[in-house]
Amino acid sequence: MRTAVHYQVQDHVALLAIDNPPVNALSAAVRQGLLDAVNAAQADDTVHAVLITGVGKAFIAGADIREFGLPPQAPSLPDVCNAIEACSKPVVAAIHGPALGGGLEVAMSAHYRVATSSAKLGLPEVQLGLLPGAGGTQRAPRLIGAQAALDLMLSGRHIGAPEALRMGLIDHIATSDDIQLEGLAYVRHLLSEGAPVRRTSEQTHAMADRAVQQAAINAARADAAKRRGLFSPLKIVDCVQAALDLPFAEGLRTERALFQQCLESPQRAGLIHAFFAEREVLKAPETRYAKPRTIQQVGVIGGGTMGAGIAVAMLDAGLLVTLIERDEAALAQGRARVEKVYDGQIAKSRLTPQGRDDILARLSTSTDYAALSQADLVIEAVFEDMAVKYAVFAQMDRYGKPGAVLATNTSYLDVNAIASSISRPQDVIGLHFFSPAHIMKLLEIVVPAKVSPDVVATAFELARRLKKVPVRAGVCDGFIGNRILATYRTAADHLLEDGASPDEIDQMVRAFGFPIGPYEMSDLAGGDIGWATRKRRAATRDPRARYVHIADRLCEQGWFGQKSGRGWYRYAEGSRTGTPDPEVMAIVEAERAKAGVAPRSFTIEDLQRRYLAAMINEGAKVIEEGIALRPLDVDVTLVHGYGFPRHRGGPMKYADQVGLAQILADIRAFAQTDPLFWKPSALLITLVEAGRDFDSLNKMETPHA
Ligand code: T1G
Ligand code: NAD
């Protein structure tokens, strides 16, 4: 069995090296190994000091997240940390790479800390719905004060060594990256200085001024209360209050109790699911066996809302970009959109004018498609019209160099048809960015039937360079995200016609944890986009399907939302906050009468059950049709592209937490009045009959594409 913690004594220094790849997570074996090693060093009179390091690319990336939710195994991490701190010989933690969560807690329980200049330190437990549960909430304030400790624990951000030194989290920055060597040298220095054992739990300097500490805690509590229903942030504040008010041992007990509450919260399961799901989506089948093509130079066709954002994303990744537009006027606008992003960053002091110029030096613009002849990848973001797409792809086929990847940013159109329209369908792929393209993390990689695997692998590699979260999607109307959006949006319109108001529905969606509701979203994006899609679909819409005309009535009036001053809501000049509009409700009531609908009232729970059931049912259909590989792909898409609250893990994870039998029962009840819209997914029925959940499909080997 692999040794999780290597132990040896060298010149009176016990060297403890944690070796649990890939990131030295504090599994049960590591905890036991650490405890045994500290006890051995304590008992060995030849040992004068202890040095703890990590083998490989990390010091310690925290507790083993895979163990959460499983029966706890001894020794507990708090016990290991207490043993390290209790050691009567100086213990030094030598940090390189990440020292996160339980990893930083181990380091804080040591008596001294040295780090390489590239080390990353943090207490990101809040991002997993947890809190630092191995003494971190008691030791961090004692080392760096309540304000700095709360900042680290509530933001979850990773800080560098210089900032850690400034705040007193570490004592020394190593001059080289050879952490073992640097650690040993620092231990020798401390021994030569006769440095005493310095237990963090006994430190009082950082929290000496009680009024200042209390003010920081009060400010953090007010902040934490605003975080849209998140459970653990307020528990973290309670722990730091205990650190200020209680002796260390009692503070530890408070921390343990509150940690347990976080562990039992469904938010922990949702956030940990999101953590691993984001890593699983990267492992598309093609990435396992196909070699990505090299991408250095990129062509972007269309400099509108999306094209300009895509150009910025590519420039930010260090690529050479050629922007193509129809004519000089449109080209100038496209360039101006790109420059506006960087001017905004200069205004926020996130970029220098020189930095801007260096980036824009990699941007060239033209109206001549021949300028694309050297591009390794060309992506179009022109009008969402098939005829325009065909014309542009014909140009890409004519001017694109052999082996270039040819991509489309279409939101809905048939990528198979686009691919088959040119001579090299094997090089065509969908790269569906989300607006704003240089900010939104999600990238749907739409895989058409004839694409060659190395093009798919190239798309995933590009996503990694753009720091995007890629999700592999099959070809259908709207791929994964927009297809599911269309369904739960339709469910919302049914609720509207049946008696709810836009405001009631939006409030329900926000209360569930989304940043905004569907009607607010429509007003933000512009109702005309959805209107165009509905018109495009009219010819193929199932005549038996219920159709709500309310949105069309508003668009016919030109009420597209914020851009026209009114939509579902009215917007005062320059305001982005809408107020309910009685004229809209008049149109709603008129359409109800036309449809012969007697309006009824809904509880917020009624609204939520229908809205989510529609989302989940369509999500299940997307999986059963193979458009999404697994339920977690749907979850990552909705969390990163559609504002689904991360602490709920995604719609399929949420469905598992509610119970699939309940979801299916709801759908069957709703189908009483509308069997066509509420036709249950066959996959959902199968899982319920088998007593299985969506997560059971996440664990299965993804099919070899
Ligand atoms: N436990 C288990 N597996 C982990 C892990 C962890 N803590 N961290 C990473 N992995 C896996 C990950 O799933 C992936 O696996 C592989 O390692 C490489 O990760 C008591 C309660 C360290 C910055 O929140 O932020 O301590 O996909 O792809 O981009 O107070 O991983 O290859 O199979 O992300 O180089 C707190 C979580 C835990 C840090 C490296 N710690 N990790 O990023 O690689 S809670 C964290 C990260 C805790 C205590 C509490 C990042 C990273 P696979 P990767 P990377
Ligand atoms: P847009 O109208 O803002 O921009 C389209 C640009 O394409 C215009 O600047 C136009 O001049 C240019 N163009 C049109 N025909 C051209 C041609 N033959 N050659 C060169 N340039 C040409 O549209 P948009 O919102 O950026 O959408 C572009 C594409 O991205 C569409 O397929 C859309 O579905 C998709 N998309 C949009 C969003 C969004 O939120 N807006 C999100 C994802 C995907």
Side-chain angles (χ1 to χ4, degrees), residues 28-107:
V30 170
R31 298 194 303 272
Q32 189 62 60
L34 263 176
L35 189 59
D36 295 346
V38 170
N39 290 340
Q42 178 64 45
D44 181 343
D45 293 341
T46 69
V47 170
H48 300 165
V50 179
L51 177 65
I52 304 176
T53 59
V55 175
K57 68 173 188 177
F59 174 67
I60 305 170
D64 188 334
I65 302 171
R66 293 186 193 285
E67 290 186 359
F68 291 126
L70 304 177
Q73 289 179 68
S76 74
L77 190 54
D79 291 346
V80 174
C81 288
N82 290 344
I84 291 170
E85 188 181 72
C87 184
S88 65
K89 303 159 187 192
V91 180
V92 173
I95 299 166
H96 76 296
L100 303 172
L104 184 52
E105 289 176 293
V106 165

Side-chain angles (χ1 to χ4, degrees), residues 84-353:
I84 291 170
E85 188 181 72
C87 184
S88 65
K89 303 159 187 192
V91 180
V92 173
I95 299 166
H96 76 296
L100 303 172
L104 184 52
E105 289 176 293
V106 165
M108 290 193 289
S109 65
H111 307 135
Y112 298 91
R113 286 153 291 281
V114 55
T116 60
S117 55
S118 59
K120 289 286 174 220
L121 300 86
L123 295 169
E125 285 86 346
V126 71
Q127 293 167 357
L128 301 171
L130 295 166
L131 54 81
T137 68
Q138 304 305 300
R139 289 194 173 93
R142 283 174 167 79
L143 266 183
I144 61 178
Q147 184 168 20
L150 283 162
D151 164 41
L152 284 185
M153 292 188 277
L154 292 173
S155 68
R157 69 190 177 93
H158 302 178
I159 63 171
E163 185 177 359
L165 183 68
R166 275 196 307 276
M167 64 170 56
L169 197 52
I170 62 171
D171 304 289
H172 177 65
I173 297 182
T175 49
S176 81
D177 284 343
D178 182 335
I179 195 58
Q180 176 98 359
L181 194 74
E182 292 282 346
L184 261 177
Y186 189 58
V187 168
R188 299 215 179 298
H189 162 72
L190 290 171
L191 286 175
S192 69
E193 300 276 309
V197 161
R198 187 186 63 174
R199 298 194 168 92
T200 306
S201 61
E202 296 161 5
Q203 304 302 310
T204 56
H205 64 280
M207 296 186 88
D209 185 332
R210 189 180 166 80
V212 169
Q213 303 307 308
Q214 191 60 61
I217 293 170
N218 298 346
R221 189 176 296 286
D223 240 16
K226 290 189 221 128
R227 296 173 68 169
R228 274 198 278 122
L230 288 182
F231 185 78
S232 71
L234 281 169
K235 305 300 171 191
I236 290 171
V237 178
D238 291 341
C239 287
V240 177
Q241 186 69 62
L244 184 62
D245 298 343
L246 303 174
F248 183 74
E250 284 179 49
L252 273 187
R253 280 192 288 277
T254 301
E255 177 192 278
R256 184 76 343 213
L258 295 175
F259 179 80
Q260 207 51 44
Q261 290 178 21
C262 292
L263 207 53
E264 285 144 20
S265 151
Q267 295 190 5
R268 183 270 304 165
L271 288 162
I272 288 182
H273 170 75
F275 175 87
F276 284 119
E278 275 152 21
R279 284 157 179 79
E280 285 307 311
V281 290
L282 304 173
K283 303 168 191 165
E286 293 86 352
T287 63
R288 292 204 209 104
Y289 63 88
K291 188 171 175 309
R293 299 181 189 176
T294 303
I295 306 287
Q296 287 309 336
Q297 196 159 342
V298 173
V300 178
I301 304 173
T305 309
M306 294 308 291
I310 293 170
V312 170
M314 300 289 184
L315 288 168
D316 286 351
L319 294 158
L320 295 171
V321 176
T322 302
L323 182 64
I324 301 286
E325 259 288 356
R326 302 179 283 170
D327 54 44
E328 290 302 334
L331 191 61
Q333 286 170 352
R335 188 179 182 95
R337 286 191 186 95
V338 172
E339 291 176 353
K340 187 170 172 225
V341 173
Y342 294 114
D343 293 341
Q345 292 176 4
I346 292 175
K348 293 188 186 119
S349 311
R350 289 200 202 123
L351 186 66
T352 62

Side-chain angles (χ1 to χ4, degrees), residues 301-307 324-326 330 337 369 381-384 388-389 392 409-411 432-435 529:
I301 304 173
T305 309
M306 294 308 291
I324 301 286
E325 259 288 356
R326 302 179 283 170
R337 286 191 186 95
Y369 278 77
V382 299
F383 300 137
E384 184 75 347
V388 178
K389 299 292 190 195
V392 167
N409 184 52
T410 180
S411 306
H432 184 212
F433 287 79
F434 288 74
S435 181
I529 297 178

